[in-house]
Amino acid sequence: MGQTENMIERGSPIPSVTTQLITADGTSETTSEAVLGSGLVVFFAVPGAFTPTCHVNHLPGFVANAAKLRAAGVDRIVCAAVNDKHVMKAWAEASGALGQIDFLADGNGELADALGLSKDFSGAGMGKRFTRSAALIRDGIVQDVFVEDAPGVTATGAPAILMALETLKV
């Protein structure tokens, strides 16, 4: 399960995979294409809800920078993880992110696989998960994709995405 095999890249269309969407309005079944296919979307994926780096470093940066991202032209901010919809809803609520960030629950890792962003975390007892990543998507087409090559949040954090949005405007 290599994380770069068949990985989405600039110019790739977003695949349509059934998933669960968690928003301030509730939870609904939808497709990745319906959620990520319209307007300018910042999509970021984390290995797991409530996991230390994701909960303390990754998600809070997007919550804190949501207004700046919207001011930069972003229509929607979406966080995905290979967790069930109940865990994702609890995380969205506990983090105070609902209303600013929408969440995709990819319980079986099908979206992670379709995007070529799945990673085997079995060594940590977590099974298949998303590799820590982010993408800028305009009208369903990937404009740029970022993948962390080491533990922590640098290339996929909100500050890096804000910088990438500036580059995209050029």
Side-chain angles (χ1 to χ4, degrees):
M1 228 176 348
Q3 70 187 42
T4 54
E5 293 173 28
N6 304 314
M7 188 176 82
I8 57 164
E9 54 191 30
R10 190 176 285 131
S12 299
I14 289 301
S16 187
V17 176
T18 300
T19 186
Q20 298 288 324
L21 175 67
I22 296 95
T23 68
D25 297 328
T27 303
S28 59
E29 185 169 297
T30 186
T31 66
S32 51
E33 185 180 36
V35 174
L36 305 173
S38 179
L40 180 58
V41 179
V42 170
F43 171 78
F44 68 104
V46 300
F50 292 112
T51 58
T53 302
C54 307
H55 188 64
V56 176
N57 297 334
H58 209 172
L59 177 60
F62 282 97
V63 174
N65 286 285
K68 287 181 183 176
L69 289 162
R70 294 199 194 294
V74 172
D75 298 301
R76 190 173 210 174
I77 305 166
V78 180
C79 175
V82 179
N83 289 109
D84 66 66
K85 65 184 178 183
H86 307 290
V87 169
M88 290 298 281
K89 183 174 189 283
W91 189 39
E93 291 170 350
S95 64
L98 273 183
Q100 298 179 72
I101 296 172
D102 295 337
F103 291 78
L104 286 178
D106 184 28
N108 294 324
E110 293 168 1
L111 179 58
D113 285 344
L115 294 171
L117 294 171
S118 62
K119 185 173 179 180
D120 187 351
F121 282 86
S122 295
M126 295 169 58
K128 176 176 60 176
R129 299 291 179 122
F130 266 104
T131 191
R132 188 175 310 284
S133 53
L136 294 172
I137 305 162
R138 187 183 308 275
D139 297 324
I141 303 296
V142 175
Q143 304 297 300
D144 218 336
V145 64
F146 312 90
V147 176
E148 294 294 350
D149 55 9
V153 179
T154 54
T156 63
I161 299 305
L162 281 164
M163 287 176 50
L165 283 165
E166 285 301 313
T167 307
L168 209 59
K169 288 181 183 175
V170 176

